[in-house]
Amino acid sequence: MTHDAATTQARPEGEAPRLDPGWRESEADVAGFDPAALVSSIEAATQRADTSMLDRLRAGATGSRIAWASMLALALAFGAAHDGAHAPWHGRASVGECVEILVWSLAVVATLALALRPLHRPALPRGTVAGVVAGMITLAFVLALVGAKDAVEPTFGPALPPALVGGVPCLVYGTMLAIPTYLLARALDRGHGASRWFAASAGALVGNLSLAMHCGTDDVGHHLAGHASLGVILIACLAVATAWERHAATR
Amino acid sequence: MTWAELDDEELMRAYVAGDAGAFRAMFDRYGARIHRMVRRHVPADADARDLVQQTFLQLHAARHDFRDGARLRPWILTIAMNLLRERWRTGKRRRFVPIEGLEGLEDEPATAARADATIDAARRRARLLSAIAELPEGQREVIELHWFQELPFAEVAAIVGANEGAVRVRAHRAYERLHGWLGGEGER
């Protein structure tokens, strides 16, 4: 049979050519398939699964996984900032700051929900994943500009280097919260490809949420360098790690 | 009642309720089908077996997400397709199709005719799969589900997470491309 014969089946006007059905199946596709051995190994693996508490949480319904992850991540953020300069429960936060904290909290829950998207649902397109991650980073910069009380001028020009240096402790603080959040989301995830990006975004959001309550500095440069940059740094690190991993896999 | 008398969804519900035998019945229905599906797109048997294993482990892990009204076939094919797509993205997709097990056949007169037919079929198959491997990811998965798996466009759309119109467009473009590539090659 020529390829022409294989691809030029009679078809309605305007419809794409179909391929010859005779090409569908091949002995090569079933070579090496030993169903008895394979199902036995899978059954053994399923019996090994679900033994630890984490395994059981991971095997739970997606709604409960998201609820657990959100609860623990928010507890981490609020717990770390329990005595913060803008903690709402001490009456130290303005209405605007309470709204900002609410926005951060909702963003954390939404991003964790995406990180824990189950594998039986269609994968999100790469553009959507990139858009959501970029949106979360942008949100951090917007809230840094909106939330800071100081004028923009003092942090530009000669005052910029001190603002950057002053942001380092907040960056470290945020990273210390972001990493456990990332690990939590990855631990409860069942292996969706985009999960790592959403988990890193959720980590950055938890860091920013806690910093919004914890940090007493109102300087715009400090907020940009020490708070908002957290997401950029985490995503950049993850991108490097992912590229290295894929390079290693294809070698 | 035997497992064979139960439909897919009843099997899955039985498994969720704790009946381990239902898992083997589901594997009997879908294991070979998923192996054929992934084997077409990954270069090694071991990778194909790994993907089948991962698919059923994910089915097990996600069993408490299975709700009334859900259908097993799109569920399990979505899992398999997501895992396969990940494999493509990490560079482990089939870029070439070796023609294995044919060495020496042409040298045996008694089997010459059979060898010719086998070699022709294998080469044809290799060209088809290599051509499919060159398609963009979105078109490749639609061809796999629509042509190889013979699923209706609505079900393909549900599995790949796109609307039916977009899936039809992808399929049309993919069939046109394959026709051009394979037809052109055949004329040479």
Side-chain angles (χ1 to χ4, degrees), chain A residues 1 3-4 7-8 14-26 28-33 35 38-43 45-46 49-50 59-62 118-123 126 190 192-193 246 249-250, chain B residues 23-24 27 31-32 35-36 39-40 45 49 52-53 57-58 60-65 67 75 78-79 82-83 85-86 89-91 124-125 127-128 137 146-148 150 158-161 172 175 178-179 182-183 187:
Chain A
M1 183 191 296
H3 291 294
D4 256 0
T7 55
T8 52
E15 188 175 317
R18 299 291 162 84
L19 305 172
D20 182 347
W23 286 33
R24 260 195 206 109
E25 301 301 334
S26 166
D29 295 339
V30 291
F33 182 61
L38 193 54
V39 75
S40 296
S41 74
I42 295 170
E43 283 173 340
T46 60
D50 306 346
T62 295
L119 208 60
H120 62 265
R121 295 190 60 197
R126 276 187 280 198
R190 299 198 199 116
H192 221 296
R246 292 191 174 174
T250 53
Chain B
F23 187 81
R24 195 167 277 251
F27 186 88
H35 182 269
R36 282 197 300 274
R39 187 64 187 88
R40 279 188 281 270
D45 275 337
R49 283 196 298 273
V52 175
Q53 181 158 6
L57 285 175
Q58 288 289 343
H60 166 78
R63 65 195 183 281
H64 296 301
D65 277 331
R67 297 278 177 264
W75 240 67
T78 302
I79 293 173
N82 281 337
L83 291 169
R85 195 182 296 114
E86 275 306 303
R89 289 178 183 176
T90 53
R124 196 180 64 191
R125 178 84 178 168
R127 278 194 289 272
L128 172 68
E137 184 182 291
H146 182 246
W147 189 63
F148 285 106
E150 300 183 78
I159 290 171
V160 302
H172 181 87
Y175 285 125
L178 290 174
H179 179 244
L182 298 174
E187 287 166 8

Side-chain angles (χ1 to χ4, degrees), chain A residues 103-201:
Chain A
V103 170
W104 283 121
S105 302
L106 291 174
V108 166
V109 174
T111 313
L112 283 170
L114 289 169
L116 300 178
R117 184 179 172 86
L119 208 60
H120 62 265
R121 295 190 60 197
L124 293 171
R126 276 187 280 198
T128 305
V129 176
V132 170
V133 171
M136 292 301 166
I137 290 171
T138 306
L139 176 71
F141 280 94
V142 169
L143 288 180
L145 291 169
V146 170
K149 309 258 186 322
D150 212 349
V152 172
E153 296 86 50
T155 55
F156 289 92
L160 186 58
L164 293 176
V165 173
V168 171
C170 281
L171 205 53
V172 172
Y173 174 96
T175 306
M176 297 300 284
L177 297 177
I179 290 173
T181 305
Y182 174 82
L183 294 175
L184 170 71
R186 297 294 286 155
L188 292 177
D189 165 50
R190 299 198 199 116
H192 221 296
S195 172
R196 60 174 62 186
W197 302 103
F198 293 127
S201 299

